Amino acid sequence: RRGFEPRHRLLRAAELRRYRGAPGDPGLYLALLGRVFDVQRGRRHYGPGGAYSALAGRDATRAFATGDFSASGLVDDVSALSPQELLSIQGWLSFYSDNYKPVGKLVGRFYDENGAPTEALREAEAAIEEALKFQAESEQRKQQFPPCNSEWSSAKGTRFWCSTQSGGVSRGWAGVPRKLYRPGSKGSGCVCVRSTGPPWGHPPSSQHRDRGDLDNPHLEEYEGCPPLAEQCVLPG
């Protein structure tokens, strides 16, 4: 919401359609979640003939997430979008807030006649907040349990191994491969698990065994793999 003030003017859909950057138009605007931005400085992208000209003069929030520029996709309905798609909308909103001038609010789905947020906007913002929370939790899980490296060959089968860079997570420990079962998921994935020190999130203490996260109840050893080996080879 940076740079967006409630004193800015209210526009209706018919008025916003006049701002598509064509000759004689008063300007070049687009709306995202009901917030209207002046995108004149990005005219080569949003003006007539530009790659994103379909976004001009309307609120096509859904298309920012889905990439669907058809008539049915260029709409402001964000219901049923996935958390990842909602995060995409949040990312675009930050981009426009940082790079373009906010000029008003669009009366309709997200703002009422007085410029006050509607229930649809509150629901969308709550869903985005939930998606941001889920993203933060996922990143924390990835730091705790980075994915293994893996490779397969018909001769040797599947090899899982851990390093200080596996899973794209730089760290001071390599870890050992384990199956991780996530709540609500039927399958498992290979992750690297710290085998020394206190469990994740706990300070060093004599109350904890020096086994890192090996005792986490959602983990399972690979059959036939030495418990503390940094790699496992599974035939087949």
Side-chain angles (χ1 to χ4, degrees), residues 196-199 205-212 215:
T196 61
S205 169
S206 59
Q207 297 177 0
H208 300 295
R209 299 170 64 190
D210 185 29
R211 286 175 51 81
D215 296 322

Side-chain angles (χ1 to χ4, degrees), residues 51-137:
Y52 302 108
S53 60
L55 301 173
R58 68 171 87 208
D59 187 329
T61 298
R62 191 177 188 87
F64 283 91
T66 65
D68 181 1
F69 280 33
S70 68
S72 60
L74 291 166
V75 295
D76 58 2
D77 181 7
V78 296
S79 61
L81 291 182
S82 69
Q84 197 60 42
E85 288 171 327
L86 290 169
L87 289 175
S88 178
I89 290 173
Q90 176 63 26
W92 280 110
L93 191 58
S94 295
F95 169 79
Y96 286 108
S97 296
D98 289 341
N99 293 280
Y100 293 99
K101 179 183 177 182
V103 294
K105 300 176 182 178
L106 179 63
V107 176
R109 183 183 296 273
F110 300 114
Y111 291 97
D112 67 17
E113 302 279 342
N114 299 311
T118 63
E119 183 62 25
L121 180 59
R122 286 189 286 269
E123 289 177 356
E125 290 181 333
I128 288 173
E129 285 298 320
E130 190 65 26
L132 288 169
K133 180 181 177 182
F134 179 79
Q135 181 185 52
E137 291 173 348

Side-chain angles (χ1 to χ4, degrees), residues 2-235:
R2 285 170 291 180
F4 204 92
E5 299 294 337
R7 64 176 177 270
H8 289 148
R9 67 193 247 223
L10 300 178
L11 296 90
R12 298 182 181 279
E15 182 180 5
L16 183 59
R17 282 195 292 271
R18 297 174 54 225
Y19 287 80
R20 303 199 63 182
D25 285 358
L28 182 58
Y29 293 173
L30 62 74
L32 183 63
L33 278 182
R35 304 171 198 182
V36 183
F37 296 90
D38 184 338
V39 293
Q40 180 63 41
R41 61 190 295 264
R43 181 179 181 81
R44 67 189 184 95
H45 302 295
Y46 304 105
Y52 302 108
S53 60
L55 301 173
R58 68 171 87 208
D59 187 329
T61 298
R62 191 177 188 87
F64 283 91
T66 65
D68 181 1
F69 280 33
S70 68
S72 60
L74 291 166
V75 295
D76 58 2
D77 181 7
V78 296
S79 61
L81 291 182
S82 69
Q84 197 60 42
E85 288 171 327
L86 290 169
L87 289 175
S88 178
I89 290 173
Q90 176 63 26
W92 280 110
L93 191 58
S94 295
F95 169 79
Y96 286 108
S97 296
D98 289 341
N99 293 280
Y100 293 99
K101 179 183 177 182
V103 294
K105 300 176 182 178
L106 179 63
V107 176
R109 183 183 296 273
F110 300 114
Y111 291 97
D112 67 17
E113 302 279 342
N114 299 311
T118 63
E119 183 62 25
L121 180 59
R122 286 189 286 269
E123 289 177 356
E125 290 181 333
I128 288 173
E129 285 298 320
E130 190 65 26
L132 288 169
K133 180 181 177 182
F134 179 79
Q135 181 185 52
E137 291 173 348
S138 296
E139 184 58 33
Q140 180 174 309
R141 284 194 297 270
K142 187 176 179 180
Q143 293 293 324
Q144 181 182 6
F145 296 126
C148 304
N149 296 311
S150 65
E151 66 179 7
W152 177 87
S153 72
S154 57
K156 297 181 179 179
T158 302
R159 180 168 77 101
F160 297 111
W161 76 99
C162 294
S163 69
T164 56
Q165 299 288 330
S166 57
V169 179
S170 298
R171 55 195 187 276
W173 51 274
V176 297
R178 289 289 189 275
K179 297 178 185 178
L180 174 63
Y181 292 90
R182 302 191 188 280
S185 176
K186 296 180 179 179
S188 65
C190 182
V191 297
C192 296
V193 181
R194 284 187 311 111
S195 57
T196 61
W200 178 269
H202 292 271
S205 169
S206 59
Q207 297 177 0
H208 300 295
R209 299 170 64 190
D210 185 29
R211 286 175 51 81
D213 290 308
L214 291 177
D215 296 322
N216 186 291
H218 300 299
L219 298 173
E220 181 181 314
E221 293 182 13
Y222 281 97
E223 186 176 351
C225 180
L228 297 180
E230 291 186 358
Q231 72 169 0
C232 294
V233 178
L234 307 179

